Amino acid sequence: MIVSLPATPIEWAKKACDSLMDVYEAGELPPAHRWHYHQGVFLCGMELLWEKVREDRYLDYIQQYVDDLVDEQGNLYFARDELDAVQAGLLLFNLHERTGKLKYRIAAEKLRNLLLTLNKTTEGGYWHKDKYPNQMWLDGLYMAGVFSLKYANFYGEAGLRGTVLHQEKLMRKHMKDEASGLLYHAWDESRRMPWANPQTGCSPEFWSRSLGWYGLAVAQFMDLLPAEDPGRAELAKELHDFVHALIRYQDQESGLWYQVVDKGDQPDNWLETSGSCLFVYTIARAVKQGIVGEDAAEAARKGYKGLIQVLQWDEQDRLILPDICIGTSAGDYENYVTRPTVSNDLHGVGALVMACVEMESLIKGR
């Protein structure tokens, strides 16, 4: 029986982190003992929570995960043919700053240098993975972009900023649908994939979580780019327009968003939680950055309340986030709506923690 429900967004964020910490030792987070973005997303959410509550048990848990995989010489085993491998590197910067241990910087350098080896489109866009040749995916902007900007800021490699902004511009150029303001999940420069539009190369649908990765990335870019960077104004306008595009497709009854964002009227479509969490984070962050106004803040509050209403509990009073789409490649409508769902998948819980931390000041005092 639940004795007392969390009262604030921060308390919900703590409950989400504490619930998974109660189930898993840090190195056992699934997939166990692997350098992987699933753990990286969850632990990045935990790091944002730590910044608010300053409870070192959260930082200790993050360090336990990293130290399970990075040895004293900065060696680590990671996939060398995909952007996804870079994301967990976001955990290294705070550890290097906090401990002074060189191994964390060495590991970060290895991930930075991975970007030098990746295949690219003819315009210099990173392939998402080698096994997806000639393809850019929205996911990749977050997987490598935020790391690149943090690396630029921590270690003085300013040229990475231009690379990151170039990746975002290419995605907009090839993947943005001007009518809806949304971006397609993937783009195949070669037009060879069965899902690729023969004229544009785009996949045919707007997938919730991929749009969430894009929004998360752009919102965090705004925090990481220097005030004088010439790309900020253009990026701010894009974030403004993107947030308002998301709001247009928010389900008014639940406050959440559908798996295929623009097709909520289809009977086999369904409300998906990880993308909804990422959208709430993105909208709330844009509000705080002054990019969008009170109408967007209300949409974020509606989304947050919708998320809290779908949360469940196990017999040990641990939080459960349901209806998280499993990892998903680009495809057609049927591909997305028939994907299995799971509970407490790490990129869902991590996104929930991010959303709750970001909503604290928008809920407080209301």
Side-chain angles (χ1 to χ4, degrees):
M1 179 177 292
I2 305 300
V3 177
S4 61
L5 291 175
T8 68
I10 285 293
E11 289 175 7
W12 282 107
K14 290 180 66 174
K15 186 65 177 177
C17 287
D18 294 349
S19 294
L20 287 189
M21 291 169 73
D22 189 52
V23 175
Y24 300 107
E25 294 293 329
E28 296 294 329
L29 287 167
H33 307 293
R34 280 184 57 194
W35 188 261
H36 198 273
Y37 81 93
H38 285 201
Q39 296 96 318
V41 169
F42 172 57
L43 296 174
C44 282
M46 186 178 288
E47 189 171 84
L48 290 178
L49 175 62
W50 172 81
E51 290 174 1
K52 295 292 185 183
V53 301
R54 296 289 166 167
E55 294 182 24
D56 283 349
R57 63 195 180 94
Y58 294 125
L59 277 189
D60 292 343
Y61 188 82
I62 293 168
Q63 186 169 358
Q64 288 164 20
Y65 167 75
V66 173
D67 286 350
D68 180 59
L69 297 164
V70 179
D71 71 15
E72 291 305 308
Q73 288 71 48
N75 296 314
L76 73 160
Y77 177 78
F78 58 91
R80 285 168 165 79
D81 59 353
E82 59 181 50
L83 287 174
D84 288 350
V86 180
Q87 190 277 337
L90 289 168
L91 305 171
L92 297 167
F93 301 107
N94 188 37
L95 288 173
H96 183 210
E97 185 175 57
R98 180 171 173 243
T99 68
K101 289 186 176 181
L102 188 60
K103 73 173 193 173
Y104 299 119
R105 177 166 183 173
I106 293 171
E109 288 174 349
K110 294 179 190 296
L111 295 170
R112 184 269 171 273
N113 289 332
L114 168 63
L115 297 174
L116 298 174
T117 72
L118 294 175
N119 289 312
K120 297 178 183 178
T121 68
T122 57
E123 296 169 295
Y126 294 129
W127 293 7
H128 189 63
K129 298 183 180 183
D130 278 358
K131 69 178 181 178
Y132 304 129
N134 307 298
Q135 296 172 43
M136 296 186 75
W137 291 17
L138 290 182
D139 316 39
L141 194 67
Y142 173 66
M143 296 303 158
V146 179
F147 171 89
S148 295
L149 290 186
K150 282 202 169 189
Y151 194 95
N153 292 347
F154 268 77
Y155 303 130
E157 192 176 344
L160 278 172
R161 296 182 186 125
T163 300
V164 170
L165 292 175
H166 182 60
Q167 302 301 312
E168 192 278 332
K169 285 183 179 180
L170 288 175
M171 290 185 178
R172 258 190 289 134
K173 174 181 177 181
H174 294 293
M175 300 157 76
K176 185 175 180 180
D177 173 61
E178 294 298 335
S180 65
L182 302 175
L183 292 89
Y184 294 103
H185 182 186
W187 172 69
D188 175 13
E189 184 177 38
S190 70
R191 318 299 202 258
R192 291 176 182 169
M193 292 301 293
W195 47 253
N197 181 299
Q199 281 74 47
T200 67
C202 287
S203 57
E205 302 294 347
F206 305 118
W207 178 43
S208 174
R209 193 160 64 231
S210 69
L211 286 162
W213 295 135
Y214 176 83
L216 173 63
V218 174
Q220 294 193 350
F221 289 178
M222 293 300 300
D223 292 328
L224 293 168
L225 287 168
E228 68 278 6
D229 192 285
R232 279 183 62 88
E234 181 179 345
L235 205 61
K237 180 185 183 304
E238 290 302 322
L239 182 56
H240 172 278
D241 294 348
F242 180 72
V243 164
H244 285 286
L246 293 179
I247 293 170
R248 284 196 295 274
Y249 293 102
Q250 185 176 24
D251 180 60
Q252 291 307 300
E253 182 177 349
S254 68
L256 305 182
W257 282 263
Y258 280 87
Q259 165 80 338
V260 178
V261 170
D262 66 328
K263 294 182 177 175
D265 59 341
Q266 297 298 308
D268 54 352
N269 203 358
W270 43 276
L271 296 166
E272 201 277 335
T273 56
S274 69
S276 296
C277 290
L278 292 168
F279 294 160
V280 169
Y281 171 90
T282 299
I283 297 168
R285 190 75 212 134
V287 170
K288 293 184 186 178
Q289 292 163 340
I291 291 170
V292 291
E294 181 57 27
D295 59 332
E298 279 302 318
R301 293 184 190 106
K302 186 178 183 70
Y304 165 76
K305 290 173 184 176
L307 289 168
I308 297 306
Q309 288 173 0
V310 301
L311 294 175
Q312 302 170 1
W313 305 91
D314 69 9
E315 294 178 353
Q316 285 73 46
D317 191 25
R318 294 180 298 226
L319 181 148
I320 298 172
L321 178 66
D323 301 322
I324 306 167
C325 177
I326 66 169
T328 298
S329 298
D332 60 12
Y333 177 81
E334 185 178 5
N335 170 67
Y336 295 110
V337 297
T338 58
R339 295 298 285 168
T341 62
V342 290
S343 297
N344 276 8
D345 185 273
L346 292 184
H347 34 23
V349 180
L352 175 66
V353 174
M354 293 181 193
C356 288
V357 170
E358 205 56 48
M359 285 303 300
E360 178 75 3
S361 64
L362 294 186
I363 295 292
K364 202 170 182 179
R366 287 183 63 84

